[in-house]
Amino acid sequence: MNTLTQVPFLDLRAHHEPLMAEFTAAFRQVVERSAFAGGPFVAKFEEEFAAFCGTASAIGVGNGTDALWLSLLALGVGPGHEVITIPNSFMATAEAISYCGAKPVFVDIDESTYLMDPSKLAAAVTPNTRAIIPVQLFGQCADMDPILEIARRHDLPVVEDACQAHGAEYQGRKAGSLGVTGCFSFYPGKNLGAFGEAGAIVTSDPALRATMQVLRDHGQSKKYCHSLIGWNARMDGLQGAILSIKLKHLNAANAARRAHAHLYHELLAEVPEVVRPTEAPGNLHVYHIYALRVKNRDRLLPQLAERGVSCAIHYPVPIHLQEAYRGLGLGRGSFPVAERCADEFLSLPMFPELKPEQIQRVVTELKACLIANR
Ligand SMILES: Cc1ncc(COP(=O)(O)O)c(C=O)c1O
């Protein structure tokens, strides 16, 4: 194996290197102003990110899990309540529900988009339902119009888990702006990633905004005046400064991801073993993850690694089958589409600086493995 031709799953260094001088200057400014927790750099980023998402405001928080949790708390979700989401998200979506004392209720996904299946949503609503969380997984929005319509009919708020969908669009509207709140993670590997943990909630609802701003800062409406029992969920000043720089490059980075996805799509067209991801009509997919479906995925993953191609799985075990949620009593067969997809998902290398030759190489190695396994 020639290490020079290894293809990494993600290369953050390649993304950051050209911006190093700007990062260094931003670091100096934050240190000079000692603006470490919240403060002017977070406020500036909040304004820029709200404008990017097309919402009235953004609230910087500690991470995407905080964003989901504070959204639900501000909506009054608590013990005895249910919140509907999908089983093939990252664990944090369900954790945020559980940490309000509520119960996650899952609906299966659409087989072509891997997102919440609106046709299965209404049946999951009960008198205890208090919110719906569609997850804009892999960088694409769920079919939001029917989801919002069902929510409207039942008078339920929709909280978007847009943690993987910075800049994605649905019918021309940005991910995060479609629900009452939109929750983002800026974990370093995301399409918009910080230099550590960070997240944001976007909203155009002034009352929710005010509550979430208080909740993220120990429930303080004024210094040492605690109107609510909150938490420390503030964003670091340094993360705000870094994110302002990186936000300027997000559209270009997303366009590069889309170009890479199109090349993968073309090169994989004639490979019968592979189901390629699709972009639903009216959607702009930003390919946080380029996930194929393929049988014998678990055999393929180490074979590709052996040939110098790093892949990943998002996610191998759906949430309802995780040990932590055994108490829900949902066994295999509860959500057949999500379970089948979890067995077959294989995420190929995807980052803006990926080169066409690297994509070609990934496909060549993948084809070689598939032929060898026939
Ligand atoms: C779909 C989804 N929801 C929630 C989260 C939680 O975000 P964070 O890791 O910033 O808490 C993530 C992050 O990986 C995610 O991908």
Side-chain angles (χ1 to χ4, degrees), residues 62-68 89-93 95 135-138 161-164 183-187 190 197-199 288 315:
N63 51 58
T65 314
D66 281 348
L68 289 161
S89 183
F90 179 57
M91 182 70 170
T93 317
E95 279 175 328
V135 183
Q136 321 300 32
L137 197 76
F138 297 161
D161 183 338
C163 286
Q164 299 190 2
C183 303
F184 289 89
S185 165
F186 303 121
Y187 186 75
K190 300 293 196 222
E197 305 285 346
H288 172 57
Y315 298 93

Side-chain angles (χ1 to χ4, degrees), residues 46 59-77 92-93 95-97 99-100 131 133 159 180-183 199-203 207-219 228-235:
E46 287 174 335
I59 298 152
V61 292
N63 51 58
T65 314
D66 281 348
L68 289 161
W69 183 48
L70 296 192
S71 291
L72 295 176
L73 284 178
L75 288 164
V77 174
T93 317
E95 279 175 328
I97 299 167
Y99 259 65
C100 293
I133 310 184
V159 169
V180 289
T181 73
C183 303
I201 310 159
V202 295
T203 186
L208 273 181
R209 176 200 186 189
T211 307
M212 294 187 295
Q213 276 176 328
V214 169
L215 284 173
R216 77 162 165 190
D217 190 19
H218 296 290
L228 295 171
I229 300 172
W231 199 252
N232 178 357
R234 295 178 299 239
M235 182 191 274

Side-chain angles (χ1 to χ4, degrees), residues 76-362:
V77 174
H81 296 159
E82 295 172 358
V83 177
I84 301 173
T85 190
I86 54 169
N88 60 315
S89 183
F90 179 57
M91 182 70 170
T93 317
E95 279 175 328
I97 299 167
S98 298
Y99 259 65
C100 293
K103 178 183 162 191
V105 169
F106 302 108
V107 294
D108 212 345
I109 54 169
D110 177 275
E111 179 124 29
S112 61
T113 61
Y114 317 136
L115 304 164
M116 181 178 276
D117 183 343
S119 72
K120 303 198 175 119
L121 177 56
V125 176
T126 76
N128 296 326
T129 309
R130 287 295 179 278
I132 301 167
I133 310 184
V135 183
Q136 321 300 32
L137 197 76
F138 297 161
Q140 174 163 230
C141 292
D143 192 4
M144 292 299 288
D145 281 343
I147 291 172
L148 290 166
E149 177 48 35
I150 293 164
R152 236 186 324 266
R153 246 190 281 142
H154 294 272
D155 197 20
L156 291 169
V158 171
V159 169
E160 277 180 81
D161 183 338
C163 286
Q164 299 190 2
H166 319 70
E169 290 179 17
Y170 175 82
Q171 316 284 5
R173 289 172 285 159
K174 281 263 169 33
S177 72
L178 301 149
V180 289
T181 73
C183 303
F184 289 89
S185 165
F186 303 121
Y187 186 75
K190 300 293 196 222
N191 287 30
L192 179 61
F195 281 5
E197 305 285 346
I201 310 159
V202 295
T203 186
S204 294
D205 181 317
L208 273 181
R209 176 200 186 189
T211 307
M212 294 187 295
Q213 276 176 328
V214 169
L215 284 173
R216 77 162 165 190
D217 190 19
H218 296 290
Q220 295 182 101
S221 36
K222 284 199 304 219
K223 199 166 171 71
Y224 302 133
C225 289
H226 304 265
S227 54
L228 295 171
I229 300 172
W231 199 252
N232 178 357
R234 295 178 299 239
M235 182 191 274
D236 288 349
L238 181 62
Q239 305 307 348
I242 296 300
L243 287 165
S244 281
I245 295 168
K246 291 185 68 176
L247 181 59
K248 291 185 281 182
H249 302 276
L250 179 57
N251 282 336
N254 281 344
R257 286 173 184 271
R258 286 177 58 74
H260 302 334
H262 290 147
L263 183 54
Y264 271 135
H265 202 75
E266 246 170 60
L267 296 173
L268 290 165
E270 309 297 333
V271 184
E273 289 95 337
V274 155
V275 178
R276 296 167 296 167
T278 55
E279 183 177 54
N283 263 1
L284 187 114
H285 195 321
V286 293
Y287 294 98
H288 172 57
I289 302 288
Y290 186 90
L292 298 175
R293 283 171 57 198
V294 63
K295 303 266 188 251
N296 298 321
R297 181 268 323 276
D298 291 337
R299 186 170 173 206
L300 209 50
L301 190 74
Q303 290 174 325
L304 284 164
E306 186 62 30
R307 289 166 173 268
V309 174
S310 289
C311 295
I313 304 171
H314 300 89
Y315 298 93
V317 181
I319 299 173
H320 68 287
L321 299 180
Q322 294 285 352
E323 162 98 35
Y325 278 113
R326 205 169 31 182
L328 292 175
L330 297 164
R332 222 169 216 284
S334 304
F335 305 101
V337 183
E339 289 164 21
R340 193 162 57 247
C341 289
D343 290 341
E344 297 178 358
F345 277 145
L346 177 73
S347 309
L348 301 187
M350 175 55 82
F351 52 91
E353 294 70 23
L354 199 58
K355 305 253 178 315
E357 313 83 80
Q358 290 177 300
I359 293 172
Q360 183 72 62
R361 167 90 200 289
V362 172

